[in-house]
Amino acid sequence: MAREASWFKSSYSSDNGIGSCVSVAALGDRVGIRDSKQQNGPTFVAPTAAWSSFIREVKSGRWAT
């Protein structure tokens, strides 16, 4: 299912030569997350609610160093 999904990179990702970004795909009630440099590599799949919670935490700045 994850291989056939429509993957996208964040608009915050840049083509700076480092390639340090992830691709994300909606998989119904789950979200696929993968390294954008390894499109055929492993995929982490998480419940949509968990992914949404993670994104909220990141945006809050609480974990910024």
Side-chain angles (χ1 to χ4, degrees), residues 2-65:
R3 292 205 190 275
E4 297 87 29
S6 295
W7 293 88
F8 66 93
K9 286 196 311 185
S10 168
S11 59
Y12 291 98
S13 298
S14 65
D15 293 323
N16 58 9
I18 297 171
S20 55
C21 55
V22 297
S23 296
V24 179
L27 305 172
D29 62 346
R30 298 174 294 154
V31 175
I33 304 113
R34 70 179 183 190
D35 183 340
S36 62
K37 298 181 305 299
Q38 297 183 16
Q39 295 180 2
N40 293 319
T43 300
F44 176 76
V45 179
T48 301
W51 179 249
S52 297
S53 179
F54 171 73
I55 295 300
R56 270 193 308 279
E57 287 294 314
V58 169
K59 286 182 176 181
S60 78
R62 182 182 318 196
W63 306 106
T65 57

